[in-house]
Amino acid sequence: MPPSDRIRDHAGQGATTVAAHRARRRLRADQARQLADLLRHQVLAGGFPDGALPHETVLAADYRASRNTVRQALDLLRAEGLVDRLPGVGTVVVARKYPHGLDRLMGLAETLREHGTVTNEVRTMGPAPAPAPVAERLRVPAGTDVLYIERLRRLNGLPLSLDLTYIPLDIGTALLGADLENTDVFRLLESITGQRLGHAEITLEAVNADAHSAAVLEAPRGAAVLMLERLTHLADGRPVDLEFIRFRGDRITMSGLLHRSL
Amino acid sequence: MPPSDRIRDHAGQGATTVAAHRARRRLRADQARQLADLLRHQVLAGGFPDGALPHETVLAADYRASRNTVRQALDLLRAEGLVDRLPGVGTVVVARKYPHGLDRLMGLAETLREHGTVTNEVRTMGPAPAPAPVAERLRVPAGTDVLYIERLRRLNGLPLSLDLTYIPLDIGTALLGADLENTDVFRLLESITGQRLGHAEITLEAVNADAHSAAVLEAPRGAAVLMLERLTHLADGRPVDLEFIRFRGDRITMSGLLHRSL
């Protein structure tokens, strides 16, 4: 017997106790989350091509859920900024998340090419002494100057990520005159060194944006941020690019394929 | 000239305007974020083996930063729940993030084996009609019963993730009597089907936890959650396991290796 029937029978027997109330509320919250996850997938996969979600009663029938559960699920997606309710129209998709590949090492403009134009606002750029952990990872002596770049990256004008980048100065110097506004650092690194990039070690985390990062990204304070730390190596194995990237959680997804055996 | 000197010269000329004040504040926030990113890496990489961070003055010297910037960077890490300040002791590491591999398809207990014991609290389990998007991805007719499981997963007793799982019923039925409290679904799927798992399509996002998910995960409302959607296939290609996993952002990192060419 599915748990919803269990609860219903329980209540049907007149045992409308505080515990039963609580159980029902918890159950509805669970079901709302469950439904929200399915709808989120549909929204992100472009499952509502005209941008409008079906009416609540249709959703309720399609997903065998109560109207209350549907409403609560839509509220969850609204809180995430994915959909909005328009009077007289219903629930519409308002945010778009862009897929960033997890299978291949690519620059942002490369990976999002089909979705629009990436532009970069260079907030800071210049040589700075490498702190010990940066120096170690870039394999330069601690305190050596490295090129530090801070960029706010936009897709079709909307803030997408805030990138902090460290590059060894022998390569970095050539970047100083480059068109960083319109070109991925990856492409510039390959053209400067005459070498392809090889691999990158990446770490992904979800963090709440601090007030300042949120302001730069034009996101609410505390907004969930997908944080990517990435150390990129040239094809010959030399580490050349250490980046700390804060993606707006509501604008990006990372997708890839995992295999059971390597 | 690095931007800090530029600002300093500017102020030194007596141009202590509102704009200069703002620029300094922005600069300090930028520098604090930059330092916080480096310290976060050190914390996560176990760079402070005794659990205590060096004194602020030492950090200031090591990272050529002002005391104010160091304090602000530590505040950011404190807000993330990574460190805390103890009177008379200084700043100590209080949270630990566990590395989840992004290179190979593994169950949670498998991937975290060296970090402790994973236990699963089964919150809901039973057959339920598959909503259309679930049915489509599991390649069963819409409305067919599938096994639905909801688990709260803990590492060494601490809540780590909330997992919603859908499994075709021909395989799922055998799971009903299995020891789900102590065993990864992946391992059970392989022993039930007598087949190895093959690959999984994954999508990662950062979202703010809704109130109910946060309560279940014992995290603050709005806490950043690393959301993993994963469709796992058997070696023969059949999709057998659709999961929506909410990892507490402060307890997990995902790490892997990307290559420039496939």
Side-chain angles (χ1 to χ4, degrees):
Chain A
M1 182 166 66
S4 55
D5 296 345
R6 219 162 41 219
I7 302 286
R8 226 172 279 136
D9 287 348
H10 191 55
Q13 283 151 26
T16 325
T17 59
V18 172
H21 268 304
R22 272 207 198 116
R24 263 202 306 275
R25 200 163 54 211
R26 170 182 140 167
L27 180 70
R28 186 153 71 227
D30 286 345
Q31 289 175 336
R33 184 188 327 106
Q34 191 183 347
L35 177 55
D37 284 347
L38 297 175
L39 292 175
R40 182 188 303 100
H41 174 84
Q42 294 290 91
V43 167
L44 298 180
F48 306 110
D50 64 350
L53 272 68
H55 191 268
E56 285 177 8
T57 51
V58 177
L59 289 174
D62 281 359
Y63 290 90
R64 293 159 207 256
S66 71
R67 285 283 294 271
N68 268 337
T69 300
V70 170
R71 248 177 248 131
Q72 216 171 321
L74 293 176
D75 282 347
L76 291 177
L77 298 180
R78 219 146 49 105
E80 287 178 32
L82 265 188
V83 304
D84 206 355
R85 200 177 296 151
L86 295 187
V89 178
T91 302
V92 295
V93 178
V94 288
R96 186 129 178 240
K97 288 206 179 188
Y98 297 93
H100 193 297
L102 261 182
D103 291 319
R104 236 187 94 193
L105 183 57
M106 292 214 275
L108 196 65
E110 260 181 306
T111 195
L112 297 179
R113 183 174 300 151
E114 62 183 294
H115 299 288
T117 308
V118 170
T119 50
N120 309 303
E121 179 188 324
V122 178
R123 292 165 45 84
T124 305
M125 177 157 171
V134 171
E136 196 186 315
R137 302 186 76 199
L138 290 177
R139 293 191 211 143
V140 299
T144 314
D145 268 2
V146 293
L147 180 67
Y148 175 70
I149 314 171
E150 195 173 313
R151 292 171 300 162
L152 175 61
R153 313 194 70 179
R154 297 171 192 269
L155 178 67
N156 302 328
L158 288 176
L160 202 64
S161 69
L162 178 62
D163 296 22
L164 278 51
T165 306
Y166 300 85
I167 294 173
L169 206 55
D170 60 314
I171 296 172
T173 304
L175 274 175
L176 285 166
D179 179 16
L180 272 167
E181 268 77 17
N182 299 295
T183 323
D184 283 346
V185 163
F186 276 6
R187 247 189 76 192
L188 295 170
L189 288 175
E190 291 188 328
S191 81
I192 290 168
T193 63
Q195 247 191 84
R196 293 281 286 173
L197 297 175
H199 71 281
E201 293 138 29
I202 65 160
T203 300
L204 279 165
E205 295 170 68
V207 301
N208 292 98
D210 60 275
H212 183 69
S213 301
V216 173
L217 286 166
E218 298 170 24
R221 185 170 178 157
V225 158
L226 192 60
M227 171 107 186
L228 171 62
E229 197 193 301
R230 180 174 65 192
L231 179 62
T232 304
H233 304 251
L234 290 176
D236 68 10
R238 178 181 172 199
V240 288
D241 176 8
L242 176 61
E243 301 203 31
F244 298 87
I245 306 175
R246 281 170 171 78
F247 287 105
R248 273 183 62 150
D250 59 347
R251 300 228 164 117
I252 206 98
T253 67
M254 299 260 168
S255 297
L257 217 58
L258 297 187
H259 294 271
R260 184 67 165 157
S261 324
L262 282 177
Chain B
M1 181 167 64
S4 55
D5 296 346
R6 214 161 46 219
I7 303 284
R8 225 170 282 135
D9 288 349
H10 191 55
Q13 283 153 24
T16 324
T17 60
V18 172
H21 267 304
R22 273 209 197 115
R24 263 202 306 275
R25 201 163 53 213
R26 169 181 140 168
L27 180 71
R28 188 154 68 228
D30 286 345
Q31 288 175 337
R33 185 189 324 107
Q34 190 184 348
L35 176 56
D37 285 346
L38 297 175
L39 292 175
R40 183 190 302 101
H41 174 85
Q42 294 290 89
V43 167
L44 297 179
F48 306 109
D50 64 350
L53 272 67
H55 191 269
E56 286 177 6
T57 50
V58 177
L59 288 175
D62 281 0
Y63 290 89
R64 292 159 207 255
S66 70
R67 284 285 292 272
N68 267 339
T69 300
V70 169
R71 247 177 247 132
Q72 214 172 322
L74 294 175
D75 282 346
L76 291 176
L77 297 180
R78 221 146 47 105
E80 287 178 31
L82 266 188
V83 305
D84 206 356
R85 200 176 296 151
L86 295 186
V89 179
T91 303
V92 296
V93 178
V94 288
R96 200 146 157 222
K97 289 206 178 188
Y98 298 93
H100 194 297
L102 262 182
D103 290 321
R104 237 187 93 193
L105 183 59
M106 291 215 275
L108 195 65
E110 260 180 306
T111 196
L112 298 179
R113 182 174 300 151
E114 61 184 294
H115 300 288
T117 309
V118 170
T119 50
N120 309 304
E121 180 189 323
V122 178
R123 293 165 44 84
T124 304
M125 177 156 172
V134 172
E136 195 187 315
R137 302 185 76 199
L138 289 178
R139 295 192 210 140
V140 300
T144 313
D145 268 3
V146 294
L147 180 67
Y148 176 70
I149 314 170
E150 194 173 312
R151 292 170 299 163
L152 174 62
R153 314 195 69 180
R154 295 170 193 272
L155 177 68
N156 302 326
L158 288 178
L160 204 63
S161 69
L162 179 61
D163 296 23
L164 279 51
T165 306
Y166 300 86
I167 294 174
L169 207 55
D170 62 314
I171 296 171
T173 304
L175 273 176
L176 285 165
D179 179 14
L180 273 167
E181 267 77 17
N182 300 293
T183 323
D184 283 344
V185 163
F186 276 6
R187 249 189 73 191
L188 296 169
L189 289 175
E190 291 187 328
S191 80
I192 289 168
T193 62
Q195 245 191 85
R196 292 282 285 173
L197 296 176
H199 71 281
E201 293 138 31
I202 66 161
T203 300
L204 280 166
E205 295 169 67
V207 300
N208 291 98
D210 60 276
H212 184 69
S213 300
V216 173
L217 286 166
E218 297 170 24
R221 185 170 179 158
V225 158
L226 193 59
M227 172 107 184
L228 171 63
E229 197 193 299
R230 181 175 64 193
L231 178 63
T232 304
H233 303 251
L234 290 176
D236 68 11
R238 180 181 172 200
V240 289
D241 176 7
L242 176 62
E243 301 203 31
F244 298 87
I245 307 175
R246 282 171 171 78
F247 287 104
R248 273 184 62 149
D250 59 346
R251 299 229 165 115
I252 206 95
T253 67
M254 299 259 169
S255 296
L257 217 58
L258 297 186
H259 294 271
R260 183 68 166 157
S261 324
L262 283 176

